[in-house]
Amino acid sequence: MGNLLRILSDKSHQPKVDFYLDFEGASPRDDEKEVYAEVEVVLESAKSILAELRTYEGASDDIRQAIQNPSDEAMQQKAWAAVSPSVLKLKNYFDYSASIERIIPKLLGYLTSSSDSVLRRLEEHQAIAKQLAHILQFTLSFDDMKMTNPAIQNDFSYYRRTQSRMRMDGQSAEVVSNEMANRMSLFYANPTPMLKTVSDSTSKFVEENKEIPLENTADILGTLAELCRTMIDTPAYRDRFQSTETVLFCLQVMVGNIILYDHTQPAGVFCKKSTIDVRQCVKLLRDTQEEIPAQQGAIESLINALRYTTKHLNDETTPKQFKQLLA
């Protein structure tokens, strides 16, 4: 591969990760091609799902009218007809989460199984690391849009209430099966459902592969976060970006790894033993906000993700400096 340049140690507890991972052009090795192709099929749907979710309007007006006029059967039917297509969309998103859950262990298997150093593993499997990065980018984007669009939860809540009432009245009321609706309810009740999917899949991978040292998974997440920061901070690396969007992509992947690390490591990301320098990562986010005004909103969403979707930020044991940093 030839991209591994050097590893420098600073005076802190954390080694400085200093190499270039080609997120834009890394290609799979021969022994990766089967899994890479499988993951690419999953990733191909990510853009269309995000585009659809970005314009998701739901059936809020029709639902409101139906609730305000419970005896008007025409309005009830209109609301049902309006919400049914939305439920099918939500089922599609839920089904997609199962695809994400299925491929996470396959990617982690490549990145954690070897006894080589974490840097060597990333150098050897850059195409696999790139795919994991794209999954984390999708996860953050999906959850951000889900959290900021109340119509998603409102539509499904109305569907469940109406489905129950129609059943009691002896009417046919099944856009999705009752079992599926129950599973979807659990999924959408979580404020960050895709993150939970990725986190649970990662934890399951660790639990089912006890022959792989626990720290291997933590090292991959921590190193990916740190190398994203380094690549943006280092002019020689940043100049190699072919697209202006790669800066934002690296920030998204950095934040995604911080959050996933915090959810899957017992002590979290804010403890002294964490391999991620959260303070420097947040500083980079704020500096990039000032540097690229057009990305201010997108970067603020990433800072909010650290504020509201990390697991250990508000723990009593978390140093106050982190809470103040993200206040």
Side-chain angles (χ1 to χ4, degrees):
M1 295 278 182
N3 282 330
L4 186 57
L5 300 181
R6 59 192 180 277
I7 309 168
L8 302 176
S9 294
D10 59 21
K11 295 180 180 180
S12 71
H13 68 286
Q14 299 171 357
K16 182 179 180 182
V17 178
D18 192 3
F19 72 96
Y20 185 84
L21 196 157
D22 191 0
F23 284 132
E24 296 172 317
S27 299
R29 307 187 322 178
D30 288 343
D31 62 330
E32 299 170 341
K33 286 183 177 178
E34 184 177 347
V35 167
Y36 187 89
E38 180 183 351
V39 176
E40 280 299 290
V41 171
V42 175
L43 288 173
E44 283 175 4
S45 300
K47 287 185 179 180
S48 61
I49 287 176
L50 293 180
E52 187 175 85
L53 193 59
R54 195 171 288 113
T55 58
Y56 186 101
E57 294 182 353
S60 298
D61 290 340
D62 291 316
I63 290 173
R64 189 180 304 108
Q65 290 296 321
I67 292 174
Q68 292 175 351
N69 299 276
S71 59
D72 190 323
E73 187 59 27
M75 287 189 176
Q76 306 307 309
Q77 292 297 327
K78 184 181 179 184
W80 181 258
V83 81
S84 294
S86 296
V87 171
L88 291 176
K89 289 181 181 179
L90 297 179
K91 179 182 180 297
N92 181 45
Y93 308 154
F94 173 76
D95 289 341
Y96 187 73
S97 74
S99 298
I100 295 291
E101 183 178 19
R102 186 184 73 251
I103 62 177
I104 287 290
K106 297 183 179 183
L107 296 175
L108 289 177
Y110 274 102
L111 296 172
T112 63
S113 298
S114 170
S115 60
D116 291 337
S117 71
V118 62
L119 297 173
R120 175 59 63 184
R121 279 180 268 135
L122 284 171
E123 183 190 25
E124 291 295 317
H125 300 292
Q126 290 202 35
I128 297 297
K130 178 184 72 173
Q131 289 186 315
L132 179 60
H134 278 286
I135 289 172
L136 292 175
Q137 180 200 35
F138 168 81
T139 297
L140 281 181
S141 299
F142 182 95
D143 286 347
D144 179 59
M145 284 188 270
K146 188 265 182 183
M147 284 192 295
T148 55
N149 189 346
I152 293 173
Q153 191 68 37
N154 292 342
D155 283 357
F156 197 70
S157 295
Y158 176 79
Y159 169 76
R160 293 306 308 274
R161 292 196 305 270
T162 305
Q163 181 189 46
S164 177
R165 177 178 57 79
M166 292 174 73
R167 274 211 190 93
M168 292 177 63
D169 292 342
Q171 303 178 51
S172 176
E174 194 168 273
V175 176
V176 298
S177 70
N178 191 51
E179 179 186 357
M180 174 59 70
N182 288 337
R183 292 165 61 196
M184 289 171 63
S185 288
L186 291 174
F187 179 76
Y188 287 108
N190 194 290
T192 53
M194 285 295 174
L195 171 63
K196 187 176 190 307
T197 296
V198 173
S199 176
D200 287 351
S201 184
T202 301
S203 297
K204 184 178 179 182
F205 170 82
V206 172
E207 180 65 26
E208 292 181 349
N209 295 273
K210 295 187 182 298
E211 73 281 4
I212 299 175
L214 179 64
E215 61 270 18
N216 282 18
T217 303
D219 287 346
I220 284 293
L221 301 178
T223 303
L224 276 172
E226 284 295 304
L227 78 84
C228 285
R229 179 173 68 84
T230 300
M231 286 165 61
I232 296 174
D233 256 350
T234 306
Y237 296 154
R238 187 163 170 173
D239 288 345
R240 295 173 65 176
F241 293 168
Q242 300 298 308
S243 169
T244 56
E245 293 299 314
T246 304
V247 172
L248 180 60
F249 177 81
C250 286
L251 291 176
Q252 291 170 321
V253 176
M254 179 185 76
V255 170
N257 276 286
I258 291 172
I259 296 170
L260 186 57
Y261 186 107
D262 196 48
H263 277 259
T264 56
Q265 301 309 305
V269 76
F270 301 105
C271 67
K272 290 183 178 180
K273 292 184 178 180
S274 169
T275 59
I276 302 175
D277 190 336
V278 177
R279 283 175 294 182
Q280 288 301 315
C281 290
V282 173
K283 181 180 184 300
L284 178 62
L285 289 167
R286 298 196 187 281
D287 289 347
T288 310
Q289 269 189 312
E290 296 182 7
E291 178 190 350
I292 311 176
Q295 299 288 4
Q296 282 188 357
I299 295 173
E300 188 63 30
S301 292
L302 296 178
I303 295 173
N304 284 335
L306 292 174
R307 286 188 183 116
Y308 303 123
T309 68
T310 45
K311 184 177 181 179
H312 294 282
L313 178 61
N314 293 316
D315 289 358
E316 290 184 3
T317 55
T318 296
K320 289 182 179 180
Q321 59 187 0
F322 292 115
K323 298 179 182 181
Q324 294 171 348
L325 184 68
L326 291 166

